[in-house]
Amino acid sequence: MGIDPNFDKNRETAGEENGVTVWGPVEPPETLGIHGTHVAVDYDICVADGACLENCPVDVFTWVDTPDHPESETKVEPTREDQCIDCMLCVDICPVDAIDVDPGRAGRT
């Protein structure tokens, strides 16, 4: 099962990390929530294969450490989600459907 496309309606914000909104619940290290709004990554299902980071034409993503998370100890964070051009390549290439891009959510938190 992939990221909830309605997470911004179904979850509450749990804070911010590196300038990116985090949507809860968050209970480290197992539950890390969804990071980002316009470009959102579900950290709880992300396996950090890096395809989104390597293929993004505008370098939206950066690596962050997520020690002891059961899926992977690093994740890709949409640190520069404001640079996203809505090409949807990251959505298409993610092997576990952990990413959602919604132009309608741009600028919202």
Side-chain angles (χ1 to χ4, degrees):
M1 184 167 153
I3 187 172
D4 174 6
N6 298 309
F7 70 88
D8 58 325
K9 295 174 185 67
N10 297 332
R11 296 178 179 222
E12 292 186 20
T13 57
E16 205 174 88
E17 286 184 24
N18 304 313
V20 176
T21 302
V22 178
W23 302 81
V26 175
E27 295 175 20
E30 292 86 13
T31 306
L32 300 177
I34 293 175
H35 290 233
T37 303
H38 173 200
V39 178
V41 179
D42 189 332
Y43 273 29
D44 299 324
I45 59 176
C46 173
V47 294
D49 79 331
C52 56
L53 183 138
E54 293 169 9
N55 291 285
C56 178
V58 293
D59 297 322
V60 165
F61 303 98
T62 57
W63 287 114
V64 294
D65 291 328
T66 54
D68 300 320
H69 189 268
E71 291 299 327
S72 64
E73 296 209 350
T74 58
K75 304 289 181 188
V76 289
E77 184 166 71
T79 309
R80 294 179 290 274
E81 67 180 320
D82 61 328
Q83 301 298 312
C84 180
I85 59 173
D86 303 324
C87 71
M88 305 299 184
L89 179 60
C90 59
V91 173
D92 294 338
I93 204 166
C94 181
V96 293
D97 297 322
I99 303 173
D100 187 44
V101 174
D102 186 339
R105 286 194 308 253
R108 288 192 317 177
T109 55

